[in-house]
Amino acid sequence: MAQMLTKGGNAALPTTDVRVEIASSSPLDIAAILVTIHGKVRTDDDFVFFNQPTGPGVRLVPPSALECTLAAVPPEMDKVVVTGSLDGSGPATFAALRGLSIVVRDARGGAELVRFDPSGLSSETALILVELYRRAGTWKVRAVGQGYASGLAGIATDFGITVDDPGTSEAATQVVQPPVAPPHPQAAPAPYGTPPGGRQWGPPPPAPTPAGGPRWGSQPGGQQWGPPPPAPGAPGQPQWGTPQPPPGQQWGPPPPPPAQPQWGPPPPAPTPAGGPQWGSQPGGQQWGSQPGGQQWGPPPPAPGAPGQQGGRVNLDKGRVSLAKGQSVSLVKTGAPPLTRVRMGLGWDPAQHGKSIDLDASCILFDERGKDVDKVWFMSKKGARGAVRHSGDNLTGHGEGDDETILVDLGALPGNVVTLIFTVNSFQGQTFVEVRNAYCRLYDDLTGQELVRFDLSDSKPSTGLVMCRVQRDRGAPTWSMTAIGEFHDGKTVRAMVNPSRQYL
């Protein structure tokens, strides 16, 4: 009969060939970490998990078992740490998990040797379940049942494994701020040539006069229009800045400085002999005004075609299929802004029967281009739960999405402005071994597919920047852009810098 252990208890193992089985009400990601007497791995090869299912003397047997040949564990390794972490498909913490038990069996005959049922769990998302360790030339098992709120990445980091940031970053602590509203429109400036308070200014100093006579807006005799620094005036004499032009004349504007063409009134035509006086405009019009009461300036934009917003394609006509480099506004006229969406990513092996292990990730950037969080297979939640990963697909087989990432747009911290979705191969498989790769965005509330991008090419690279979802400046809406560019990167951390060029 199996020996029952409580937390902290231990028992000797009568054999070095054992099988560790884990049972629970919801699926767990099982892993084993081989550590030295110093409590650290030698290299990342000592980490056995779903993306690296074999190690020295240990093999992962999906979905929830480990087979250990302890005699084959290198002598410098002191123990094998068996862990379990929530895979995102069930409860958020171990407090809601039911029926958790660990059984250690004799691998040759199947006899049950040791059993441990952890209890008293709360906010943990990953647990150290049991340890198999050396003691005086034999192997023993210890019941641990202690965990981490930071997931498998937290456990792995403590044992010296190089992993990406587990998501305890700026986005996790940033207070949610509403989108910045555009500034209030300012009052239109006074028409060109109109001084404050109803006064009429003369033109500023003119440009140097070329040979042959003065220019429009200049005064004969070398004087300069415009007020000098104010000085006390004689009684009854007008002050500079308030003079009126001679009867029948009006001050004209200064000549425009040489520059690129700007919207505004056209330059005056040359004045014929006997024409209007200095500073006046033919036809009695005022400088700065446009015939017909219109304002000078660029023409108003043409109205967008149906299914477009401000000249961009939107969702008015239903699902949008994108080609590489194209964008779509995630807005439908008359409908409220999207709140919860899912990004589904899928692929198939290029060779029938071969397994392809790719990993989908989401990198969150602020407006400065800093990566403030990452969501991936070892850190399935980010931005205080606003972004969640579905878990890892180890084969690429089957219909439908291989992995999905949920995004609660309304709950994203205000500093998150861009989400980049990437796919990479932890095991180093390249995209020439993949076909039918795609991403699709759909409404999580209705299940309706909104946008789809099918990748048509492939390259011998281990990473792919798939698409971008970006906050519209000053608005509660978002847009999506198809990228589809290949890079070399086997982890999400290696994909951060390549992703920055698409912000």
Side-chain angles (χ1 to χ4, degrees):
M1 183 177 177
Q3 181 176 350
M4 290 293 299
L5 294 181
T6 58
K7 185 180 292 188
N10 65 81
L13 293 174
T15 176
T16 57
D17 295 325
V18 296
R19 178 183 173 96
V20 182
E21 299 175 348
I22 295 92
S24 65
S25 60
S26 295
L28 299 179
D29 287 332
I30 306 302
I33 305 171
L34 288 77
V35 298
T36 68
I37 195 172
H38 303 293
K40 302 292 183 181
V41 298
R42 300 167 303 178
T43 70
D44 290 355
D45 292 338
D46 295 330
F47 184 27
V48 178
F49 68 119
F50 44 79
N51 265 341
Q52 188 169 268
T54 59
V58 181
R59 181 172 72 91
L60 177 64
V61 182
S64 56
L66 289 161
E67 290 185 349
C68 304
T69 305
L70 298 175
V73 173
E76 64 269 28
M77 309 312 290
D78 183 61
K79 60 185 174 182
V80 178
V81 180
V82 178
T83 71
S85 57
L86 298 170
D87 72 351
S89 64
T93 69
F94 274 93
L97 191 70
R98 300 290 179 263
L100 178 60
S101 67
I102 300 97
V103 174
V104 181
R105 299 182 182 276
D106 186 331
R108 293 170 295 183
E112 190 173 309
L113 305 175
V114 172
R115 174 181 287 270
F116 170 47
D117 299 333
S119 60
L121 302 175
S122 58
S123 62
E124 300 91 344
T125 58
L127 286 180
I128 297 177
L129 302 172
V130 297
E131 294 175 343
L132 311 178
Y133 63 100
R134 298 181 191 269
R135 183 68 76 235
T138 63
W139 283 88
K140 302 182 74 173
V141 57
R142 177 186 294 116
V144 180
Q146 294 181 344
Y148 294 67
S150 52
L152 179 57
I155 294 179
T157 300
D158 273 4
F159 287 108
I161 298 168
T162 303
V163 297
D164 297 281
D165 303 332
T168 55
S169 59
E170 291 181 29
T173 57
Q174 180 79 13
V175 176
V176 177
Q177 298 290 343
V180 179
H184 293 293
Q186 300 295 320
Y192 190 71
T194 303
R199 301 175 180 177
Q200 294 186 354
W201 295 118
T209 304
R215 293 181 179 271
W216 282 99
S218 65
Q219 182 185 15
Q223 300 179 18
Q224 295 186 354
W225 296 118
Q237 297 296 320
Q239 299 297 317
W240 283 102
T242 61
Q244 299 298 317
Q249 299 185 17
Q250 293 182 350
W251 300 126
Q260 296 297 322
Q262 297 184 356
W263 292 105
T271 305
Q277 300 296 316
W278 289 103
S280 64
Q281 182 183 9
Q285 299 177 21
Q286 297 295 320
W287 285 110
S289 64
Q290 184 182 7
Q294 303 176 16
Q295 296 296 320
W296 292 111
Q308 296 187 353
Q309 182 189 36
R312 285 194 303 172
V313 174
N314 64 16
L315 302 177
D316 282 358
K317 292 186 176 181
R319 193 192 80 168
V320 176
S321 293
L322 296 179
K324 184 184 292 189
Q326 291 182 332
S327 298
V328 58
S329 173
L330 301 178
V331 172
K332 186 171 184 178
T333 303
L338 290 171
T339 55
R340 289 168 57 97
V341 296
R342 285 185 184 267
M343 182 67 73
L345 300 105
W347 51 83
D348 292 319
Q351 298 180 15
H352 182 70
K354 184 176 181 178
S355 294
I356 294 292
D357 180 19
L358 299 179
D359 304 307
S361 306
C362 179
I363 309 172
L364 288 69
F365 290 92
D366 65 13
E367 62 182 3
R368 299 168 297 169
K370 175 177 174 56
D371 56 305
V372 296
D373 215 337
K374 309 178 193 72
V375 176
W376 53 300
F377 65 81
M378 283 182 66
S379 183
K380 296 186 179 73
K381 290 193 301 182
R384 305 181 98 181
V387 184
R388 296 174 179 264
H389 196 294
S390 66
D392 193 32
N393 181 307
L394 300 179
T395 66
H397 292 294
E399 297 296 325
D401 303 331
D402 288 291
E403 296 181 14
T404 62
I405 297 176
L406 168 69
V407 182
D408 188 338
L409 298 172
L412 280 172
N415 68 325
V416 175
V417 298
T418 304
L419 293 83
I420 298 288
F421 292 86
T422 68
V423 182
N424 55 268
S425 171
F426 183 87
Q427 296 184 358
Q429 295 167 304
T430 70
F431 281 88
V432 295
E433 303 175 64
V434 176
R435 63 181 178 87
N436 300 334
Y438 70 87
C439 66
R440 69 185 188 104
L441 189 78
Y442 58 96
D443 190 329
D444 185 58
L445 301 180
T446 66
Q448 180 183 4
E449 184 173 306
L450 306 172
V451 186
R452 186 180 181 95
F453 169 44
D454 291 287
L455 190 67
S456 58
D457 55 347
S458 64
K459 289 185 179 179
S461 303
T462 57
L464 169 66
V465 179
M466 196 65 147
C467 66
R468 177 185 74 220
V469 173
Q470 194 162 44
R471 192 190 298 268
D472 294 329
R473 185 175 295 274
T477 56
W478 298 74
S479 59
M480 175 176 166
T481 301
I483 298 175
E485 296 293 344
F486 295 93
H487 298 271
D488 282 322
K490 297 196 294 183
T491 67
V492 65
R493 179 175 54 189
M495 297 299 293
V496 170
N497 283 335
S499 296
R500 281 198 176 97
Q501 64 187 279
Y502 305 108
L503 298 180

